[in-house]
Each structure stands twice: as structure tokens, then as C-alpha cells.
Amino acid sequence: MPTRTTPRRRRTTTQSPRETDAHTAARIAARIAARIAALRAQIRHHDELYYVRDRPEISDAAYDRLVAELRRLERAHAGRAHPGGAAAAPTQRVAGRVARPFAAVRHAGAMLSLEATHRASDASAFVHRLTTQSGGVCDLVLEPKLDGLSVELVYTDGRLTAASTRGDGTEGEDVLANALTLDSVPRTLRAAAARRPAFLSVRGEVLMPRSAFVRLNRGLAAEGEEPFANPRNAAAGSLRQLDPRVTARRPLRFIAYELLAARDWSPATDRQVLVALRRWGFTTPERTVFARAADRVDRYHRALARVRESLDYEIDGIVIKANDLPIRERLGATSHHPRWALAYKFEPRAGTTRVEDIAFQVGRTGVLTPVALLRPVDVGGVTVSRATLHNLDELARRDVCIGDTVRVQRAGDVIPEIVERRRGTPRRPARIPARCPACRGRIERDGPYLRCVNRWACPAQLVAAIRHLASDDAFSIEGLGGECARKLVDAGLVGRLPDVFTLDARALRTLPGFAERSADNLARAIGDARRVELWRFLVALGIPGVGKSTARAVAGLFASLDALRRARVDALRRVPGLGAVDASAVHAFLHDRRTTALVDGFLRAGVAIRRATATRGTR
Ligand code: IVH
């Protein structure tokens, strides 16, 4: 994303040229600082969605562009320290953190990221550097870059004693109970051929096979649940379950590729490590190759790109590593990645098509998102017919019009992104709506966003709010997805959120496509969901700025809904992670007449708040 250029300031007679220059420089500096802050905030937001919630909103390619822009600005304006210290800047640390419901586990060695490139020239420069730094010869290990979830397994005296996700690289989430349900995770190291070290820590990737992903999503859709965006998110969502029985039903695989730490064992090469891992019972990456020259690297990259689609799991490039472990030791690592490895990624999958229309989609909070409606195109086996244009600024910056030809790209996932556009003739700009397309109500401009202010009566917001209310982090009502929510609103069965809890099987049977069984099942699911923990109820209310973790923090501080409704702003300020501004906003929201009516409506419809337990899944 390019930085916007600063408009030139005209000189006035009262300013000397030097003053004007100083002025301009200060303004540019302020703009750059603002852009850096905005990028950092955006990256943190997307990190949270990706690593903690397993629900990314943008493609990897779009994320990489944000990081690349931030890196460029940080490098060019090195004086601008991050307010939280360098360690807090997204470009300086491994993204992700321990999500609340899991206990934290300290890794035996740092779980770093990989430096990544798409360019052959970077890959050959990397091999060249490795060779020079290793004194003229450097054996390489070439492996597929597995696109899953990175996990550490620890074996003490041959027995699996810990399993954790990467988290922030130092501490991860404890997923031992879940890892134990995977067939490909050895519970004990096979003793037969190789001597087992007293302590062994292994890193690898948890993957969901593509075929299983398609089946899982089909099942979720049939239950009216939100499908996963891609096999990687499905793997992460399946492993990060509070109930290991759910994980056990998901066909996950673990592939080991790195030794993190060992006691009484010091192998000399990665090759020895991989051989030992296989003897102990691990699966290691298929198609691993040992090589020396940079031209082998390119051939390997091309060969894997060719077989990519025929593999039953996702890979998004190759990893080039030094084979010699003492050399790795000598080269060391930055705080982000080891200097002895490089991810050489594939070009993202793309397709070309035409923009047939640009619509504005109303979300739960009333934001109108511009969406390009495309002539359907096959991109790497997935039919793409829509691509988000994010907001009005992005729409203007990309200058996408109806009639244009665009290149849409999927980068290892199915959220498509427009990466190029050719002007069409004729072409017509999107018509920016003056009223909400769903309710014809008034809309407001809020920075780059358009928002329908009819929060309490817009049917599109109501559909999205019902879907949100039924989601896993809220009331978790199986069978109540987006499609069903729309039918409920269209049929006039739900006019306000609490109406969901007045639905019975007889009413549901009147919905189009609802057979007796599905109506009974949904009625039962609604009945079962009535007793709900406070934090889930708060999530369901959709309080602006209050996501799952804040809702949990609020519920941790207030024993009951009544206590929370009586709380003063100062008391809310004590909620960890809720700033003063947010505390006032939450207070105002809770005391809004309409919120009070909404909450009372829920209680009247039979919703009962119960004390927290930790038995439900997190997805
Ligand atoms: S070696 C970073 N080998 O890719 C330390 N990593 O996008 C060395 N990954 O978080 C890791 N396939 O978890 C290595 N064959 C492979 C890999 C691999 C996938 C992961 C790794 C890292 C991520 C970076």
C-alpha cells in the first residue's frame, strides 16, 4: 500500500523559506508517524484475528503488504521509536499470543518465524550469503513449507509431556490434551533403533488434509455454521478447542521438521535429526531434498509449485535451511527469524475476471463494506465471485470501477483480494449510497467508513446480529447461521434479537426449506442455549469494542449482570484491557434506553445467566 503523498504547501510572504521547509518537514513527519501508528494498529488487529481467533479478514498477501510498508517506513524513519518499545512493534516480534482459555507454556527454545520472499533473486542471494558465511561450502536442506499451525512437542524420558502452539514465540498455549488425540503425534518415542534422549523438544506443523477440510466445511454449512476460510484456519481452530473430544473428531496430522532442544544428544546435521525423528515414530516432510547449489533451489521450487495442487495438504512455498547444525548455531537468529533459513514462497494463485457490479454490504455494526461482484472465475480450484474493497478510501485508492478487468488473488486461503486492475471501456464508478441499501435509513461517514445509523431497526444489521448472537463465542446455537437468520427476518419471525428465544418448532417449520427434523433440532438448540454464561451474553449484545477477551475480563470482575448494570464508570475502568474511553463507551451503551430494553427482552424471553464454567469449545 503506497503512502499518500503530502500536498505541497504554498509559501506565504510571512514565512521565510527555511521556516516553510521546517513546517513541511514537520507535517510530513507527522503524517509518517500517523501512518506508522495506523499500520501497527492494523497489523495488531489482523494478528489477533489470525492467531487468536483463527478468523482472518484479509489475505496473506494483503497482510504481507501491510508489514512490508511498515518495515519500509520504519527503516526510512528509524528515529521513530515504537511507544511500547521495539519489542512491542509488530515487525520486531513474532506475532500471536496466548489466548485466554489456554494455560501458557514456556517453549524449550524460541519458536521463531521465518524470513520470507517470493523472489528467486532473494533466494539465490540467501544461498550465496550462507555459502560465504560457512567458509565456501554449505549443504542445504530443501523442504516444502507446510501451511498449517506450528506446534512444539516435548518428550521427557521418551514420553510426551507437553504440547503447545507458537503463541508469542516464547510462550504458547497448552494443547497437550488435544495433541494426544492425533494419531501422528507419538505418545512415546519408539525405542527400537535410536537411543532416546532424556529430554527432546520437536517443532512441526499441524495440518488438516484438504479433503478433510472440504468435508468439515460441508458439515458446518449444513448445520448453518460459519465455514473455515482455509485448511490452516481449520487446523488451528480444531487444535485450539477446549474440549479435546472435538479435536479428536477432526482429522489432523502432525509433521515434524525441527529439533528445538535435546539433552544428551547433539546431532551434527539436520539430516541426522530427520532420520532419528522418523525412527522415533514421527512423520517428517515428504520430498525433502539435500542440495548445495542455488540452481537446485530454483528447480526444487518449480517442481514443488507443479505438484502443489496434487498434494492433499497445503504448502505455500519451500524452506531453504543450512544442513549443518554447528553452522546454524554460529549464524544465530534475529528476534524474529533464524539467519540460517529462508521461506521462498510461491506466487499466490490468481485469476482474471470482470467487475460486474459494486455492492455495499451492511455488517453487524452498520458498516457498509464495498464489495466487487465478479464474473465467477476459478482461482486454484475455488470459484471466486466477490472480492472485498474494504472501505471508501481503499475503493478510491484502487480506483476499481464496474466494467474493469481485475486480477484476483488467493494466497493460500480463500479470501480473495484484487491485486491489479485494467480500466474497462466503458467503466462506471460505484454508486456511493446516500441511504442504507437494506433499510433506506440515514448513513453517516466515519473516516473511510460509511455506517447505517439505524442500529436498532435495520434488517441487514439484525440478520448479522442474529448470526453473531448464535456464534460460538456467544450463545453458540447450532443450526442458526447467516442463511437461517435471513429467513427468520424475512419471514418476520424475528424483529428484535430476543425474539430468537421465543421461536418454537411450529414457527420454525413455516420457514422455507425447514423440514420437521431441522425445525425440531433448531428449536432444541435454542432451548439449550438459554442458560448462558455472562461473558457470552455480553459478546451476544455486540457492545462496540467488546470482543471475547474483554467480555471475559468484564465477567471476571462482575459477579452478575445486575452488578454490571449497577457499576459506575470507575469500576469499569478497572477491567483489564479496557481503556478509559472504552469504559465510558461501554457504560453509555449499557445505560442506553434501548440496551436496557434489549437486555430485559432477553430475560423476559427466558434467557438466564449462569456462572462461568470452562467446558465449552473456543471456536
Ligand atoms: S523450519 C523458524 N521448516 O512456517 C524456525 N518451518 O511462515 C525454522 N514451517 O512458523 C522452522 N514448514 O512453523 C520450517 N519445512 C518447514 C516448515 C516450517 C512450515 C513454518 C514454521 C514457521 C512458518 C513461517
Side-chain angles (χ1 to χ4, degrees), residues 544-577:
V546 177
K548 175 177 163 183
S549 47
T550 312
R552 276 178 178 276
V554 172
L557 217 63
F558 299 95
S560 68
L561 180 62
D562 271 347
L564 175 62
R565 290 174 98 179
R566 281 197 309 269
R568 298 222 310 257
V569 186
D570 328 353
L572 282 168
R573 280 203 193 122
R574 286 201 295 275
V575 174

Side-chain angles (χ1 to χ4, degrees), residues 50-51 94 110-116 142-151 166 203-205 207 255-258 260 285 288 316-321 328 336-338 340-341 343 345:
Y50 181 104
Y51 288 103
V94 174
M111 293 255 283
L112 296 175
S113 224
L114 280 171
E115 188 177 15
L142 306 179
E143 262 171 13
K145 183 172 174 314
L146 309 168
D147 197 8
L149 165 77
S150 191
V151 163
R166 185 165 78 173
R203 177 174 180 175
E205 207 82 353
L207 302 167
I255 300 182
Y257 50 67
E258 201 205 346
L260 269 181
T288 299
D316 60 347
I318 66 166
V319 185
I320 313 169
K321 313 176 190 180
R328 289 189 183 184
H336 178 266
H337 59 262
W340 45 261
K345 295 173 83 168

Side-chain angles (χ1 to χ4, degrees), residues 263-277:
R263 203 173 303 137
D264 322 321
W265 185 47
S266 15
T269 63
D270 196 30
R271 188 177 213 149
Q272 286 172 14
V273 172
L274 293 173
V275 168
L277 289 177

Side-chain angles (χ1 to χ4, degrees), residues 16 46 58 96 137 143 198 242 312 326 342 406 477 503 526 541 585:
S16 74
H46 292 301
I58 58 170
V137 226
E143 262 171 13
L242 284 184
D312 193 28
L342 179 76
V406 289
I477 304 174
L503 295 168
I526 291 173
L541 284 183

